[in-house]
Amino acid sequence: MSDHGGFMTIRNAYLDAAAQAVTLLAAPEVRAAWDGPSALAELTVGGLAGHLGYQIFSVTPVLAEQGDAPEAPIPLLEHYARARWVSAPLDDVVNAGIRTKGEAFAAEGALALRERARTELAEQRVGLPRLPPERSTVFLPQTGWALSLDDFLVTRMLELAVHMDDLAVSVGIAAPPLPAAALDPVLALLTRLSVRRHGQPGPLRALARAERLPGAINAL
């Protein structure tokens, strides 16, 4: 993992996770299955690849912003509590919009999407280290609230991790491993979200006492 300085820990983790996503987008299996169905309902492989690429594209505007968001950032768990898509049904307008955007990126073609992701990631490798340490918040126009820059990048890493696995499963290959520096905050966030939704016993047993879960076998 490259070293961008102490304050770059999360930024660097995001950059390395995004690099793994670009590698997956370049897989010939993805290109070959582009117009076929993905592992996600109502999304083609290309549409899912487009949604994966968007997680990288969404970071680029941060580089052009001239300062912190005027709004105070909200906590990361509050972001997911407010986000409509988290609990919205598949046919909700917000989820339909996400699929439409992914398919629009897919319409550019596999090679074009891969090259855009590669180009924007290269720009981010230059731009993110140049952001000063005190540059600490990001306004999310699609939600109407702000997050800390680190929290925003953790949301990108979570999306990258989940959708790299979705895309790899869709085309029958192994997902690229998430770098440890990215895996740690992603697992921490997923665990906290799971505890909030299901309470403590379920997540604890899934990780340490799987034999106590209904219908589960002990995988440890």
Side-chain angles (χ1 to χ4, degrees):
M1 182 178 296
S2 51
D3 181 10
H4 299 294
F7 74 92
M8 277 294 296
T9 302
I10 293 296
R11 302 182 197 188
N12 186 53
Y14 157 75
L15 290 169
D16 290 337
Q20 294 289 62
V22 171
T23 297
L24 180 58
L25 289 173
E29 293 88 350
V30 172
R31 183 180 179 186
W34 197 254
D35 294 321
S38 77
L40 299 187
E42 300 186 20
L43 261 182
T44 65
V45 166
L48 178 54
H51 185 58
L52 179 62
Y54 171 71
Q55 310 314 317
I56 298 172
F57 308 153
S58 65
V59 175
T60 298
V62 174
L63 307 180
E65 294 174 3
Q66 297 303 307
D68 280 346
E71 297 82 0
I74 67 171
L76 189 52
L77 288 184
E78 177 65 16
H79 165 73
Y80 286 99
R82 293 187 188 184
R84 178 176 169 182
W85 59 266
V86 172
S87 58
L90 183 65
D91 60 354
D92 187 88
V93 64
V94 68
N95 284 325
I98 289 171
R99 294 192 297 273
T100 297
K101 181 179 289 187
E103 297 291 357
F105 286 128
E108 302 173 5
L111 293 179
L113 180 70
R114 181 193 70 191
E115 288 309 306
R116 178 176 175 182
R118 181 177 293 168
T119 297
E120 294 202 20
L121 178 58
E123 293 170 354
Q124 292 167 20
R125 285 198 179 279
V126 175
L128 277 175
R130 289 181 177 175
L131 293 178
E134 61 271 17
R135 172 65 192 286
S136 60
T137 62
V138 175
F139 179 71
L140 308 179
Q142 69 273 27
T143 65
W145 58 78
L147 291 175
S148 74
L149 176 55
D150 278 1
D151 280 352
F152 172 66
L153 293 177
V154 170
T155 70
R156 300 306 87 192
M157 289 190 287
L158 173 59
E159 293 285 332
L160 289 169
V162 170
H163 294 307
M164 279 195 290
D165 187 61
D166 290 335
L167 185 57
V169 167
S170 297
V171 300
I173 60 176
L178 204 64
L183 181 62
D184 288 350
V186 166
L187 287 180
L189 175 56
L190 284 172
T191 301
R192 292 170 70 192
L193 291 172
S194 182
V195 167
R196 188 180 67 183
R197 176 173 291 188
H198 304 292
Q200 291 187 10
L204 283 172
R205 291 169 183 171
L207 293 170
R209 293 290 183 263
E211 72 275 13
R212 293 179 186 166
L213 294 174
I217 61 171
N218 186 6
L220 296 181

